[in-house]
Structures are given as structure tokens and as C-alpha cells.
Amino acid sequence: MTASSTSPLRADRPGPLFLTWDDITTATATLAHRLAAAGIPQVVVGIVRGGMIPAAWLAHRLAIRDVRTVEVTRTASDGINAAKSTVPTVRNPASLGDLTGLDVLLVDDIAGSGVTLAHTARMIHDLGPARLRTAVFVVNRANWRPSSDPHHDIDYIASLADTWVVFPWEEQHER
């Protein structure tokens, strides 16, 4: 995996970090620039639900029309610091379609431990793409494995945070 520079995000108060639409615009531009430099993918796959918006924004920014989704989750609910299952749950894997021989970008909004992203990447890899890259808008280092650098597991990271992150499209975004 290729290491990419990232910008740290800091919570201005204890508790969750509330991102703005401007933060999302900046993250999209950052990732799109890095992706374009390495070759524009043919297909963007967003992990439902959180990865749908970043996937669509990146696809628009890179003029990619083939956008797909797959539901893979470990979070039991939408609440801040919600419990997680040990094994990701996959629903509707057939929604990925035929990825044989394609250049695929897998996108999620956030990686905590990286388990969901890695599980989904293995599932896509088994579908035979010519190239598979991963991208996330934020890595929450508070949940990341301490013995590992997320840059070794994820190809493109827009930013790093050290707390729970709330995106502007989430219901609990109200401050």
C-alpha cells in the first residue's frame, strides 16, 4: 500500500469531532488529487451507509460514472461510541456486480480499527479486479491497532483524528 500524507483533525472540545461540509469538500479534493496522480479508477465502491457520500463526491470530482455500493458494517447503531461486532456483517454482496479486470476504488467515510475496510477489500479482491485501492476520509487513531500504521493498510487517507468523528450527514451532527 502506498503511504500518503494526511492532515490531523483536532476536536476543539472534549468529545466527538464534528466535521463540516467544508471539511468534506477539502477531504474530497485532497483524495481526488492523489487518486488522479496515480491513475483514475474505473469503478468506485462505497461502503454503505457512511461511505456512500464520500464515494459519490469522489466519483463526481473524478468524472467516474460507475459507482457501486455494498453494505458492510460492524457498528450496532448510529450513536456516538456505539458498540461494534467482532466480525463485519455483509448484506447484498451481489450489488458489487462483475469487477473482473477493472481498476476499483473502495471508499469509506472513516476507518476505526480498519476491520470493515479490510474485510470488504478481501471480498472485492476475490471478484478479480485488475487493481484495488482503498480510500477513507478519516482514520480514528483512538481505535486503530497501536502496533500498526494506518498508512500501511489504507492507500489514501485524507485526515487523521484521535476521537469519535461525526459527519455532517449524520443525525447526531446537531451540536
Side-chain angles (χ1 to χ4, degrees):
M1 304 272 172
T2 57
S4 57
S5 62
T6 55
S7 61
L9 294 171
R10 303 272 186 245
D12 53 1
R13 57 190 160 92
L17 173 63
F18 291 86
L19 297 183
T20 66
W21 285 109
D22 286 342
D23 295 328
I24 301 308
T25 300
T26 300
T28 303
T30 298
L31 292 175
H33 176 76
R34 292 180 194 151
L35 283 158
I40 295 177
Q42 295 168 285
V43 179
V44 175
V45 175
I47 298 177
V48 171
R49 289 180 320 184
M52 291 173 64
I53 293 171
W57 277 43
L58 281 168
H60 276 280
R61 184 79 183 229
L62 295 168
I64 300 167
R65 298 197 57 84
D66 192 347
V67 180
R68 305 177 193 190
T69 62
V70 63
E71 185 177 353
V72 181
T73 186
R74 288 186 56 227
T75 307
S77 71
D78 289 338
I80 293 171
N81 294 319
K84 298 192 182 316
S85 63
T86 54
V87 178
T89 300
V90 179
R91 292 189 183 98
N92 196 18
S95 65
L96 292 169
D98 184 8
L99 297 174
T100 305
L102 298 175
D103 184 345
V104 178
L105 175 67
L106 174 61
V107 180
D108 207 356
D109 55 350
I110 190 161
S113 65
V115 171
T116 299
L117 191 68
H119 183 86
T120 310
R122 281 190 303 274
M123 188 171 57
I124 290 173
H125 181 268
D126 290 346
L127 296 174
R131 183 179 189 190
L132 173 60
R133 293 176 278 171
T134 56
V136 297
F137 276 30
V138 182
V139 169
N140 180 354
R141 293 183 295 200
N143 296 325
W144 197 263
R145 302 173 301 278
S147 62
S148 171
D149 178 352
H151 292 96
H152 292 141
D153 299 322
I154 302 169
D155 296 303
Y156 304 94
I157 301 169
S159 58
L160 301 168
D162 295 310
T163 187
W164 189 271
V165 177
V166 181
F167 291 87
W169 52 83
E170 294 180 297
E171 184 178 341
Q172 68 269 30
H173 197 270
E174 300 169 13
R175 294 185 194 213

